[in-house]
Amino acid sequence: NAGVTQTPKFRVLKTGQSMTLLCAQDMNHEYMYWYRQDPGMGLRLIHYSVGEGTTAKGEVPDGYNVSRLKKQNFLLGLESAAPSQTSVYFCASRIRTGTYGYTFGSGTRLTVV
Amino acid sequence: RKEVEQDPGPFNVPEGATVAFNCTYSNSASQSFFWYRQDCRKEPKLLMSVYSSGNEDGRFTAQLNRASQYISLLIRDSKLSDSATYLCVVNSGQAGTALIFGKGTTLSVSS
């Protein structure tokens, strides 16, 4: 049981390039989330999804797009990367019912130069 | 007022010490409360949920005061391996929406 898997783990982009971060979970969780973590800022929510085919904006959605075409996958896209998007990106998922916490992926370290 | 506030520390304690972290939250509708642990350059991991009656897991004790909107974590007999950042986490009170994370309190346990 792999839990939550993020790919890639590391990436360096040039300003203006695009990329997609993949999050895959094998726990049949309904809810999935993308966060970014920057020094001194804590974890900030980018986008989230409460089920297949649904997405919603979080606290810092600008410059990012997401898709949840399959229940197990939640994709985060950067259409035109900017240095301000240099960060560590974490995906998380949780089951819909109950008051359970998240399971996190191991993160993607992205540097935009 | 920030949604979840924590003292960033760092808390520097010797092995065997007892240390307590506090957290306040602003949304009175929050229903779920957690403490997460995050090691340097790693993902956050669930340490324990926090229940209204208080709960204990080995050396760790969590308390919730809904009236004061205050959460605490007590660590007894600190170990070197307890060195990490501890994140206070609450939900927004709405089904399906995200958990809200504090910025964390850093603990360093020394021998």
Side-chain angles (χ1 to χ4, degrees), chain A residues 56-86:
Chain A
K57 294 181 180 180
E59 180 186 356
V60 289
D62 294 343
Y64 305 95
N65 57 75
V66 288
S67 64
R68 183 101 181 266
L69 298 179
K70 294 182 178 180
K71 185 177 183 179
Q72 63 268 34
N73 295 337
F74 194 28
L75 278 62
L76 178 71
L78 286 73
E79 291 185 346
S80 179
S84 61
Q85 294 178 304
T86 294

Coordinates of all heavy atoms in Angstrom, one line a residue, chain A residues 56-86:
Chain A
A56 N -11.6 23.1 -6.5 CA -12.0 24.3 -5.9 C -10.7 25.1 -5.5 O -9.7 24.4 -5.3 CB -12.9 24.1 -4.7
K57 N -10.8 26.4 -5.5 CA -9.6 27.2 -5.2 C -9.4 27.3 -3.7 O -10.3 27.3 -2.9 CB -9.8 28.6 -5.7 CG -9.9 28.7 -7.2 CD -10.1 30.2 -7.7 CE -10.1 30.2 -9.2 NZ -10.3 31.6 -9.7
G58 N -8.1 27.3 -3.3 CA -7.7 27.5 -1.9 C -7.3 28.9 -1.7 O -7.8 29.9 -2.3
E59 N -6.3 29.1 -0.8 CA -5.8 30.4 -0.4 C -5.0 31.1 -1.4 O -5.0 32.3 -1.6 CB -5.0 30.2 0.9 CG -4.5 31.4 1.6 CD -3.6 31.1 2.8 OE1 -3.5 29.9 3.1 OE2 -3.0 32.1 3.3
V60 N -4.1 30.3 -2.2 CA -3.2 30.9 -3.1 C -3.3 30.2 -4.4 O -2.3 29.6 -4.9 CB -1.7 30.8 -2.5 CG1 -1.6 31.8 -1.4 CG2 -1.4 29.4 -2.1
P61 N -4.4 30.3 -5.2 CA -4.6 29.6 -6.4 C -3.9 30.2 -7.7 O -3.8 29.5 -8.7 CB -6.1 29.6 -6.6 CG -6.5 30.9 -6.0 CD -5.5 31.1 -4.8
D62 N -3.6 31.5 -7.6 CA -3.1 32.2 -8.8 C -1.8 31.6 -9.4 O -0.9 31.4 -8.7 CB -2.9 33.7 -8.5 CG -4.2 34.4 -8.2 OD1 -5.3 33.8 -8.5 OD2 -4.2 35.5 -7.6
G63 N -1.9 31.3 -10.7 CA -0.7 30.8 -11.4 C -0.7 29.3 -11.5 O 0.2 28.7 -12.0
Y64 N -1.8 28.7 -10.9 CA -1.9 27.2 -10.9 C -3.2 26.7 -11.4 O -4.2 27.4 -11.3 CB -1.8 26.7 -9.4 CG -0.5 27.1 -8.7 CD1 -0.6 28.2 -7.8 CD2 0.7 26.4 -8.8 CE1 0.6 28.6 -7.1 CE2 1.8 26.7 -8.1 CZ 1.7 27.8 -7.3 OH 2.9 28.2 -6.6
N65 N -3.2 25.6 -12.0 CA -4.5 24.9 -12.4 C -4.4 23.5 -12.0 O -3.3 22.9 -11.8 CB -4.8 25.0 -13.9 CG -3.6 24.4 -14.7 OD1 -3.5 23.2 -14.8 ND2 -2.8 25.3 -15.3
V66 N -5.6 22.9 -11.8 CA -5.7 21.5 -11.3 C -6.7 20.7 -12.1 O -7.6 21.3 -12.7 CB -6.0 21.4 -9.8 CG1 -4.8 21.9 -8.9 CG2 -7.3 22.2 -9.5
S67 N -6.5 19.4 -12.0 CA -7.6 18.5 -12.6 C -7.7 17.2 -11.8 O -6.6 16.8 -11.3 CB -7.3 18.2 -14.1 OG -6.1 17.5 -14.2
R68 N -8.9 16.7 -11.7 CA -9.1 15.5 -11.0 C -10.0 14.6 -11.9 O -11.2 14.4 -11.7 CB -9.8 15.8 -9.7 CG -10.1 14.5 -8.8 CD -9.1 14.4 -7.7 NE -9.3 13.2 -7.0 CZ -10.0 13.1 -5.8 NH1 -10.6 14.2 -5.4 NH2 -10.1 12.0 -5.2
L69 N -9.4 14.1 -13.0 CA -10.2 13.3 -13.9 C -10.5 11.9 -13.4 O -11.4 11.3 -13.7 CB -9.4 13.2 -15.3 CG -9.2 14.6 -16.0 CD1 -8.4 14.4 -17.3 CD2 -10.5 15.3 -16.2
K70 N -9.5 11.4 -12.6 CA -9.7 10.1 -11.9 C -9.6 10.3 -10.4 O -8.9 11.1 -9.9 CB -8.6 9.1 -12.4 CG -8.7 8.7 -13.8 CD -7.6 7.7 -14.2 CE -7.7 7.3 -15.6 NZ -6.7 6.3 -15.9
K71 N -10.4 9.5 -9.7 CA -10.5 9.6 -8.3 C -9.1 9.5 -7.6 O -8.8 10.2 -6.6 CB -11.4 8.5 -7.7 CG -11.6 8.7 -6.2 CD -12.6 7.6 -5.7 CE -12.9 7.8 -4.2 NZ -13.9 6.8 -3.8
Q72 N -8.2 8.7 -8.1 CA -6.9 8.4 -7.5 C -5.9 9.5 -7.8 O -4.8 9.5 -7.2 CB -6.4 7.0 -7.8 CG -6.1 6.8 -9.3 CD -7.3 6.2 -10.0 OE1 -8.5 6.5 -9.7 NE2 -7.0 5.4 -11.0
N73 N -6.1 10.3 -8.8 CA -5.1 11.3 -9.3 C -5.5 12.7 -9.2 O -6.7 13.1 -9.5 CB -4.7 11.0 -10.8 CG -4.1 9.6 -11.0 OD1 -3.6 9.1 -10.0 ND2 -4.2 9.1 -12.2
F74 N -4.6 13.6 -8.7 CA -4.9 15.0 -8.6 C -3.7 15.7 -9.2 O -2.6 15.6 -8.7 CB -5.1 15.4 -7.2 CG -5.7 16.7 -7.0 CD1 -6.5 17.3 -7.9 CD2 -5.5 17.4 -5.8 CE1 -7.1 18.6 -7.7 CE2 -6.1 18.7 -5.6 CZ -6.9 19.2 -6.5
L75 N -3.8 16.4 -10.3 CA -2.7 17.0 -11.0 C -2.7 18.5 -10.8 O -3.7 19.2 -10.8 CB -2.9 16.8 -12.5 CG -2.4 15.5 -13.1 CD1 -3.2 14.3 -12.5 CD2 -2.5 15.5 -14.6
L76 N -1.5 19.0 -10.6 CA -1.3 20.5 -10.4 C -0.4 21.0 -11.5 O 0.7 20.5 -11.7 CB -0.5 20.7 -9.0 CG -0.2 22.2 -8.7 CD1 -1.5 23.0 -8.4 CD2 0.8 22.3 -7.6
G77 N -0.9 21.9 -12.2 CA -0.2 22.5 -13.4 C 0.3 23.9 -13.2 O -0.4 24.7 -12.5
L78 N 1.5 24.2 -13.7 CA 2.0 25.5 -13.7 C 2.1 25.9 -15.2 O 2.9 25.2 -15.9 CB 3.4 25.6 -13.1 CG 3.5 25.6 -11.5 CD1 3.2 24.2 -11.0 CD2 4.8 26.1 -11.1
E79 N 1.4 26.8 -15.7 CA 1.4 27.1 -17.1 C 2.6 27.9 -17.5 O 3.1 27.7 -18.6 CB 0.1 27.8 -17.5 CG -1.2 27.0 -17.4 CD -2.4 27.7 -17.9 OE1 -2.3 28.9 -18.1 OE2 -3.4 27.0 -18.1
S80 N 3.0 28.9 -16.7 CA 4.1 29.7 -17.0 C 4.8 30.0 -15.7 O 4.5 30.9 -15.0 CB 3.7 31.0 -17.7 OG 4.7 31.9 -18.0
A81 N 5.8 29.2 -15.4 CA 6.4 29.2 -14.1 C 7.1 30.6 -13.8 O 7.7 31.2 -14.7 CB 7.4 28.1 -13.9
A82 N 7.0 31.0 -12.5 CA 7.7 32.2 -12.1 C 8.6 31.9 -10.9 O 8.3 31.0 -10.2 CB 6.6 33.3 -11.7
P83 N 9.6 32.7 -10.7 CA 10.5 32.5 -9.5 C 9.7 32.4 -8.2 O 10.1 31.7 -7.2 CB 11.5 33.6 -9.6 CG 11.6 34.0 -11.0 CD 10.2 33.8 -11.5
S84 N 8.6 33.2 -8.1 CA 7.8 33.2 -6.9 C 7.1 31.8 -6.6 O 6.6 31.6 -5.5 CB 6.7 34.2 -6.9 OG 5.8 34.0 -8.0
Q85 N 7.2 30.9 -7.6 CA 6.6 29.6 -7.4 C 7.6 28.6 -7.0 O 7.3 27.4 -6.8 CB 5.9 29.1 -8.7 CG 4.7 30.0 -9.0 CD 4.0 29.6 -10.3 OE1 4.7 29.6 -11.4 NE2 2.7 29.3 -10.3
T86 N 8.8 29.0 -6.7 CA 9.8 28.2 -6.1 C 9.3 27.8 -4.7 O 9.1 28.7 -3.9 CB 11.2 28.9 -6.0 OG1 11.7 29.1 -7.3 CG2 12.2 28.1 -5.2

